[in-house]
Amino acid sequence: MASKIKKGDIVKVIAGKDKEKEGKVLAVNPEKGTVLVEGVNVVTKHTKPNAGNQEGGIVTKEAPIAISNVMYSDKGQAVRIGFAFVDGKKVRINKKTKKVID
């Protein structure tokens, strides 16, 4: 199934501990049904020293969240996305305003 959320979209979290937060999509994993959103679901990870990271220590990074827990954000408001054909091309549209999403 085609994912309605793409890399680079601004999304709003609608469920979970980071509800109501907004962020940019860094990655989408359609096989697992997850997205990586900037500044959302930040976790701390303890790392041992190795060749790539000489010091080790505590690192904070974003963890993936379920794609069903985010919605596309249009001017701060979460909206549904649909598909339509414009000039013979399939494009994403905002279902509320019927405007094309780039």
Side-chain angles (χ1 to χ4, degrees), residues 56-68:
I58 300 171
V59 177
T60 59
K61 61 185 242 178
E62 292 93 358
I65 60 174
I67 201 165
S68 62

Side-chain angles (χ1 to χ4, degrees), residues 5 26 37 50 81 84 91:
I5 304 293
L26 302 174
V37 182
N50 57 27
I81 294 179
V91 293

Side-chain angles (χ1 to χ4, degrees), residues 73-89:
S73 180
D74 190 17
K75 298 174 188 157
Q77 187 167 357
V79 294
R80 290 183 179 192
I81 294 179
F83 291 103
F85 287 94
V86 176
D87 298 328
K89 287 193 169 193

Side-chain angles (χ1 to χ4, degrees), residues 1-12 23-25 27-28 35 67 70-74 79-102:
M1 183 173 158
S3 175
K4 295 179 180 179
I5 304 293
K6 306 287 183 201
K7 181 179 176 181
D9 285 349
I10 302 297
V11 295
K12 189 171 204 172
K24 183 177 179 183
V25 175
V28 179
V35 290
I67 201 165
V70 298
M71 283 182 82
Y72 184 81
S73 180
D74 190 17
V79 294
R80 290 183 179 192
I81 294 179
F83 291 103
F85 287 94
V86 176
D87 298 328
K89 287 193 169 193
K90 188 176 181 182
V91 293
R92 296 185 303 161
I93 62 165
N94 177 339
K95 283 196 159 192
K96 196 172 215 174
T97 62
K98 306 293 186 214
K99 290 186 180 175
V100 175
I101 298 170
D102 50 319

Side-chain angles (χ1 to χ4, degrees), residues 36-53:
L36 197 62
V37 182
E38 188 175 37
V40 175
N41 198 21
V42 178
V43 295
T44 57
K45 188 172 177 89
H46 298 264
T47 58
K48 289 185 176 182
N50 57 27
N53 183 8

